[in-house]
Structure formats: structure tokens, C-alpha cells
Amino acid sequence: MTGFKVDIVKADQLGEAEWTAWRAFLAGNPALNSPYFRPSFTRVAGQVSPDAAVAVFSRAGQIAGFFPHQKRGSAIQPLGAPMNDYHGVIARPGEGPTLQEVADLLGGSRLNVTAWVGDIDRGEPRNTVQVELGDDGYDGWYAERRQTFGKFFKDKERARRSMEAELGPLRVERGLHDPKLLDWLIDLKRDQYRRTNRHDIFACGWTADLLHALLQTEGENGFGASMAGLWGGDRLTAIEFSLHAGDQYHFWFPGYEPSLARCSPGILLSMDTMRLAAELGYRTFDFGFEGEHYKKYFCNGARTVREAIIVRPGLGAAMSQAAVKALDLAGEGKGERLRASVRRRWAAIEACEVTPANRFRGAMQAAGAALNKVRSNSATA
């Protein structure tokens, strides 16, 4: 027995005593400084995401922690998945339930997390990367990065001059809340998903509704969402949707005109956004998971999170193991990468789609894409 008791409630059923405890846990745990852990995010996502709830953990009559989540069938996921870049139990360090205890207390067939914050000894580590500004702010960061990675940043300076010569004077605006600009960004992302054969996370509807709702939210302690855009002359070339709270600025959904890729408008926008936001007091700019090549030139900080699937013993566990073996199609090394790719694709599909039929359709499309990739790799080997 863990000693924890759990109550499952809707976010709008939490009273001021619960929200006060929530804020106190955030203040006492620096690992929870991301905007995703703020009460405002849970309030908004709790209204928009289907089957959303908050687990309230208590021990000896005292609140010990919270876990915002959503259910898809009998599976449990963090609230806002697949778009939630950080999640975990909101509690003081060492006082809340562990990942395994959360899974046991919530009782679903499976608990799937992709960026768990907290100390756990299972799952796979993944890194997220950040720009951490020092006392000399953006200018100091840029000077150090340009000295360290001169070729990369000189190339971006040339790209800026090239785009300005082609389109006209460049200007960047941040703090944008125009729903039409958000729709433009969502259309760009959907086109990108089609071109790269990835699941369209906006086809389900509620995910786009979540971004729109957050965009109109002004929460406590500086929580909010906004966009920044880069124009060349009269032409919008790139836009990015971000979350922010305190001194944290989380880049979330970037998009740019594919025809201008040679000019790197998305990278130029990120740099200009940091410059403007730093003037307002933001000091950490979070770029999410490492991977895209430009992040290694930008980021001077990193943190480790965990990706894990907790499956209850029984038929579900046996089927999961069988699926892992069946996906080992590409040989040593490649097989593990394929499994990780398929697992993440499925996590996104399951989180987005709220009906079994849509989840099945998405799974078949993902499986076909994975097999085509294996065949392509085999043909070129």
C-alpha cells in the first residue's frame, strides 16, 4: 500500500484551498517551472480536452499532489497530450506519488508519458534543450554563440540580408493574439504533417480549440500564450505559437513558408523573438525536445525527462510485448529506432482521437508509413 488516497475531479471542481496548495507546490519545486504546470493551463485544457480530469492525491488527510490527465478508452495520458511538452505530479520534491504509484492509483490499463518530470527509475531518458540567458541578456548570448558557431550564425545573417533584398524590409512582431494568424499557422502545420506522412494532430478538432482558447487566456503570474510573426515587406513568412509564465518562454508550434526555407525564416523569427522577449524579463527559452539541427547551435542548457509506458499486468501487457517483437523488422539497431518511432506515433494518435474507429484508422496509417520507411531503408542498404 502506498498510503496515498486519490480523488478524481474536474478542474473546475477544485476550490481555492486546492489551488492554493497547487501554487505552494510549484513554489517549492523548481523542477515545475514550466508553463504547462501552471493552474491556468490546467483550467483551460480541462475545459477543452475530452475526458479531462485532475487526480488529487492525499495522505493522512493532507493534499500531497495533483496530476492533470485525460482518458482515451481505458488508457491514461497527461492532460493536453500529445501537445503537453512537460508533465508529472505537481507536488513538493519527494512528497508526491511515484509514476508507478500514479498508474496504480488511477487504475487504467496503461499510463503513457512522454516527458515526465521527476525522479523515476524506469522508461527512457530524453533531453529537452533551452537557451539560458545570463546577466548580459540576449546580446551576450548571441555574441558567445556567434563566436562558438561562427559559420552557422554568419550564414543566418546572410539569409536575413537575402530575404530582405528579395521581399523588402523585415519586421518582427510578438504578443500577437489574432485568431486568423493562428489558423494560418495551423494550416501550415497540417500541410507539413501531410508532406512528412505524420499524423495530423489538428484533424480531431479539440487540439486546435485548445490553442485558440489558450491564445485568449490571461492567467495568473504572467501565464499566457501568444504568437510572434516575421514579415518580409508585406508578406508573412513565419509564425510561432508560444507559452510563457514567470521568466519562462516555451516555443511550441513554429511554422514558415516552405518556399522560403533557403532563407531560414523560422530560425530568424526565433532569434528576434528572444531578443524582444528578453527585454521584457524572460530568461529561459525552451525549445522542447532536442533533434532539429539548429537547436545545437542555439541552446546552452538541457534537462532530462522520461518517456515511459506503465501497463497493468494481464492481457494488455502480453499484447504490448507481442507488438514490440512484431515491430522488430529492421534488424539490430534500426529495430529499436523503429519501435520508438511507432510508439510515439501511436501515443499521438491515441491522445488526439477520441473514438476507437479514428484511433484504428490512424494506427493503420502509421503502420503503413513505418513499413514503407523500412522497405525504403532496406532498398538503399
Side-chain angles (χ1 to χ4, degrees):
M1 297 293 292
T2 66
F4 288 102
K5 177 179 177 293
V6 63
D7 293 297
I8 308 297
V9 300
K10 297 293 185 182
D12 59 10
Q13 294 176 316
L14 295 174
E16 190 51 40
E18 287 79 15
W19 291 121
T20 297
W22 190 303
R23 297 184 195 101
F25 295 154
L26 294 182
N29 191 345
L32 305 179
N33 60 0
S34 168
Y36 294 98
F37 293 112
R38 297 300 178 100
S40 298
F41 181 84
T42 293
R43 286 191 179 106
V44 175
Q47 293 177 340
V48 176
S49 174
D51 295 318
V54 177
V56 183
F57 303 108
S58 59
R59 176 180 266 171
Q62 299 294 319
I63 296 176
F66 303 90
F67 179 54
H69 62 279
Q70 61 196 29
K71 295 190 73 175
R72 298 292 182 262
S74 61
I76 297 169
Q77 306 154 342
L79 180 61
M83 305 195 304
N84 186 327
D85 285 355
Y86 291 108
H87 36 264
V89 173
I90 296 159
R92 293 186 181 89
E95 294 186 7
T98 65
L99 178 65
Q100 182 64 60
E101 288 172 332
V102 170
D104 293 340
L105 287 162
L106 297 188
S109 64
R110 185 175 69 260
L111 173 60
N112 187 46
V113 298
T114 55
W116 185 266
V117 174
D119 295 327
I120 59 174
D121 58 358
R122 60 191 307 164
E124 298 296 325
R126 301 182 71 187
N127 285 335
T128 63
V129 290
Q130 300 81 36
V131 167
E132 300 284 357
L133 298 185
D135 294 338
D136 45 5
Y138 176 86
D139 290 340
W141 166 82
Y142 188 78
E144 185 276 324
R145 293 282 102 179
R146 194 179 188 279
Q147 182 177 9
T148 305
F149 302 108
K151 183 178 184 300
F152 177 84
F153 285 97
K154 289 177 184 177
D155 177 69
K156 300 314 164 192
E157 291 167 3
R158 285 192 295 268
R160 185 184 295 272
R161 292 192 297 269
S162 174
M163 189 161 66
E164 193 158 35
E166 179 180 345
L167 300 179
L170 302 187
R171 79 177 194 277
V172 62
E173 296 181 18
R174 66 158 306 278
L176 303 172
H177 295 86
D178 186 345
K180 293 181 180 178
L181 290 178
L182 178 53
D183 287 335
W184 187 82
L185 171 60
I186 290 172
D187 287 343
L188 277 182
K189 299 303 293 185
R190 297 192 68 181
D191 180 65
Q192 177 188 347
Y193 298 144
R194 284 189 291 269
R195 286 186 287 105
T196 57
N197 210 14
R198 293 172 58 193
H199 184 71
D200 181 356
I201 67 171
F202 292 114
C204 59
W206 73 264
T207 47
D209 292 342
L210 176 59
L211 296 192
H212 274 283
L214 288 167
L215 191 63
Q216 304 306 321
T217 297
E218 291 186 9
E220 57 191 57
N221 297 321
F223 175 90
S226 66
M227 294 176 294
L230 177 66
W231 279 262
D234 295 327
R235 183 176 177 183
L236 179 59
T237 67
I239 199 162
E240 185 151 22
F241 185 102
S242 301
L243 285 179
H244 27 80
D247 65 354
Q248 305 288 308
Y249 202 101
H250 190 102
F251 290 112
W252 203 3
F253 283 98
Y256 62 87
E257 280 282 5
S259 63
L260 294 172
R262 67 191 182 283
C263 296
S264 303
I267 291 176
L268 298 179
L269 174 59
S270 293
M271 288 193 290
D272 287 349
T273 301
M274 286 194 293
R275 175 176 52 81
L276 294 176
E279 295 173 356
L280 300 176
Y282 294 102
R283 287 296 175 263
T284 297
F285 295 88
D286 200 312
F287 284 79
F289 289 117
E290 61 184 355
E292 290 88 346
H293 78 285
Y294 74 92
K295 294 182 182 180
K296 70 178 180 180
Y297 302 111
F298 271 47
C299 296
N300 56 8
R303 64 186 303 189
T304 301
V305 295
R306 287 274 177 168
E307 178 180 41
I309 301 175
I310 311 299
V311 183
R312 294 184 70 184
L315 178 61
M319 291 179 66
S320 178
Q321 288 300 108
V324 168
K325 293 179 180 178
L327 287 169
D328 192 5
L329 302 172
E332 185 176 355
K334 292 182 181 178
E336 177 54 37
R337 289 193 294 273
L338 176 63
R339 287 195 295 271
S341 175
V342 172
R343 183 174 66 245
R344 289 166 190 163
R345 282 176 178 250
W346 168 244
I349 293 164
E350 185 178 46
C352 291
E353 308 301 339
V354 298
T355 68
N358 285 345
R359 287 195 289 269
F360 178 79
R361 187 179 303 112
M364 292 301 98
Q365 292 171 349
L371 289 173
N372 287 337
K373 186 175 182 179
V374 170
R375 294 188 184 110
S376 176
N377 290 340
S378 299
T380 58

